[in-house]
Coordinates of all heavy atoms in Angstrom, one line a residue:
C156 N 1.9 -7.6 -25.9 CA 1.6 -6.2 -26.2 C 0.7 -5.6 -25.1 O 0.8 -4.5 -24.7 CB 0.9 -6.1 -27.6 SG 2.1 -6.5 -28.9
L157 N -0.3 -6.4 -24.6 CA -1.2 -5.9 -23.6 C -0.4 -5.7 -22.3 O -0.7 -4.7 -21.5 CB -2.4 -6.8 -23.4 CG -3.4 -6.8 -24.5 CD1 -4.5 -7.9 -24.3 CD2 -4.0 -5.5 -24.8
I158 N 0.5 -6.5 -22.0 CA 1.3 -6.3 -20.8 C 2.2 -5.1 -20.9 O 2.3 -4.3 -19.9 CB 2.2 -7.6 -20.5 CG1 1.4 -8.7 -20.0 CG2 3.3 -7.3 -19.5 CD1 2.1 -10.0 -19.9
A159 N 2.7 -4.8 -22.1 CA 3.5 -3.6 -22.3 C 2.6 -2.3 -22.1 O 3.0 -1.3 -21.5 CB 4.1 -3.6 -23.6
A160 N 1.3 -2.4 -22.6 CA 0.4 -1.3 -22.4 C 0.0 -1.1 -20.9 O -0.1 0.0 -20.4 CB -0.9 -1.6 -23.2
Q161 N -0.1 -2.2 -20.2 CA -0.4 -2.2 -18.8 C 0.8 -1.6 -18.0 O 0.6 -1.0 -17.0 CB -0.7 -3.5 -18.2 CG -2.1 -4.0 -18.7 CD -3.2 -3.1 -18.3 OE1 -3.3 -2.8 -17.1 NE2 -4.0 -2.8 -19.2
L162 N 2.0 -1.8 -18.5 CA 3.2 -1.2 -17.9 C 3.1 0.3 -17.9 O 3.4 1.0 -16.9 CB 4.5 -1.7 -18.6 CG 5.8 -1.2 -18.0 CD1 6.0 -1.6 -16.6 CD2 6.9 -1.6 -18.9
I163 N 2.6 0.8 -19.0 CA 2.5 2.3 -19.1 C 1.4 2.8 -18.1 O 1.6 3.8 -17.4 CB 2.1 2.7 -20.6 CG1 3.2 2.3 -21.6 CG2 1.7 4.2 -20.7 CD1 2.8 2.5 -23.0
L164 N 0.4 2.0 -18.0 CA -0.7 2.4 -17.0 C -0.1 2.3 -15.6 O -0.3 3.1 -14.7 CB -1.9 1.4 -17.1 CG -3.0 1.6 -16.1 CD1 -3.7 2.9 -16.3 CD2 -3.9 0.4 -16.2
G165 N 0.7 1.3 -15.3 CA 1.3 1.1 -14.0 C 2.3 2.2 -13.7 O 2.4 2.7 -12.5
L166 N 3.0 2.8 -14.6 CA 3.9 3.9 -14.4 C 3.1 5.1 -14.0 O 3.4 5.9 -13.1 CB 4.7 4.2 -15.6 CG 5.7 3.1 -16.1 CD1 6.4 3.5 -17.4 CD2 6.7 2.9 -15.0
G167 N 1.9 5.3 -14.6 CA 1.1 6.5 -14.3 C 0.5 6.3 -12.9 O 0.4 7.3 -12.1
L168 N 0.1 5.1 -12.5 CA -0.5 4.8 -11.2 C 0.6 5.0 -10.1 O 0.3 5.6 -9.1 CB -1.1 3.4 -11.2 CG -1.8 3.0 -9.9 CD1 -3.0 3.9 -9.7 CD2 -2.2 1.6 -10.0
L169 N 1.8 4.6 -10.4 CA 2.9 4.8 -9.5 C 3.2 6.2 -9.2 O 3.4 6.7 -8.1 CB 4.1 4.0 -10.0 CG 5.3 4.0 -9.0 CD1 5.0 3.3 -7.7 CD2 6.5 3.4 -9.7
L170 N 3.2 7.0 -10.3 CA 3.4 8.5 -10.1 C 2.3 9.1 -9.3 O 2.6 9.9 -8.5 CB 3.5 9.1 -11.5 CG 4.8 9.2 -12.2 CD1 4.7 9.8 -13.6 CD2 5.8 9.9 -11.4
C171 N 1.1 8.7 -9.5 CA 0.0 9.2 -8.8 C 0.1 8.9 -7.3 O -0.1 9.7 -6.4 CB -1.3 8.7 -9.4 SG -2.8 9.2 -8.5
L172 N 0.4 7.6 -7.0 CA 0.6 7.2 -5.6 C 1.8 7.8 -4.9 O 1.8 7.9 -3.7 CB 0.6 5.7 -5.5 CG -0.7 5.0 -5.9 CD1 -0.5 3.5 -5.9 CD2 -1.8 5.4 -5.0
L173 N 2.8 8.2 -5.7 CA 3.9 8.9 -5.1 C 3.7 10.4 -4.8 O 4.5 11.1 -4.3 CB 5.2 8.8 -6.0 CG 5.8 7.4 -6.0 CD1 6.9 7.3 -6.9 CD2 6.2 7.0 -4.6
G174 N 2.5 10.9 -5.2 CA 2.1 12.3 -4.9 C 2.2 13.2 -6.0 O 2.1 14.4 -5.8
D175 N 2.5 12.7 -7.2 CA 2.5 13.6 -8.4 C 1.1 14.1 -8.7 O 0.1 13.5 -8.3 CB 3.1 12.9 -9.6 CG 3.6 13.8 -10.7 OD1 3.7 15.0 -10.4 OD2 3.9 13.4 -11.8
D176 N 1.0 15.1 -9.6 CA -0.3 15.6 -9.9 C -1.1 14.6 -10.8 O -0.5 13.7 -11.4 CB -0.2 17.0 -10.6 CG 0.6 16.9 -11.8 OD1 1.3 15.9 -12.0 OD2 0.6 17.9 -12.6
L177 N -2.4 14.8 -10.9 CA -3.2 13.9 -11.6 C -3.0 14.0 -13.1 O -3.4 13.1 -13.9 CB -4.7 14.1 -11.3 CG -5.1 13.6 -9.9 CD1 -6.5 14.0 -9.6 CD2 -4.9 12.1 -9.7
A178 N -2.4 15.1 -13.6 CA -2.2 15.2 -15.1 C -1.3 14.2 -15.6 O -1.5 13.7 -16.7 CB -1.7 16.6 -15.4
S179 N -0.3 13.8 -14.9 CA 0.6 12.8 -15.3 C -0.1 11.4 -15.4 O 0.1 10.6 -16.3 CB 1.8 12.6 -14.4 OG 2.2 13.7 -13.8
F180 N -0.9 11.2 -14.4 CA -1.7 9.9 -14.4 C -2.6 9.9 -15.6 O -2.7 8.9 -16.3 CB -2.5 9.8 -13.1 CG -3.5 8.7 -13.1 CD1 -3.0 7.4 -13.0 CD2 -4.8 8.9 -13.1 CE1 -3.9 6.3 -13.0 CE2 -5.7 7.8 -13.1 CZ -5.2 6.5 -13.1
Y181 N -3.3 11.0 -15.8 CA -4.2 11.0 -17.0 C -3.5 10.8 -18.3 O -4.0 10.1 -19.2 CB -5.0 12.3 -17.0 CG -6.0 12.5 -15.9 CD1 -6.3 13.7 -15.3 CD2 -6.7 11.4 -15.4 CE1 -7.2 13.8 -14.3 CE2 -7.7 11.5 -14.4 CZ -7.9 12.7 -13.8 OH -8.8 12.8 -12.8
L182 N -2.4 11.5 -18.4 CA -1.6 11.3 -19.7 C -1.1 9.9 -19.9 O -1.3 9.4 -21.0 CB -0.4 12.3 -19.6 CG 0.5 12.3 -20.9 CD1 -0.2 13.0 -22.0 CD2 1.8 12.9 -20.6
L183 N -0.5 9.3 -18.9 CA -0.1 7.9 -19.1 C -1.2 6.9 -19.2 O -1.1 6.0 -20.0 CB 0.9 7.6 -17.9 CG 2.2 8.3 -17.9 CD1 3.0 8.0 -16.7 CD2 3.0 7.9 -19.2

């Protein structure tokens, strides 16, 4: 369960590093 929660965090971090706005990172 914690790995699945970290996957959600990883998706947000990936979006942030690809140049998306910080709102997506904060949401995820």
Side-chain angles (χ1 to χ4, degrees):
C156 292
L157 291 176
I158 288 172
Q161 290 299 310
L162 179 65
I163 297 171
L164 175 68
L166 295 175
L168 185 62
L169 183 63
L170 274 178
C171 178
L172 292 177
L173 286 176
D175 198 14
D176 58 348
L177 289 175
S179 332
F180 172 71
Y181 291 143
L182 180 72
L183 289 172

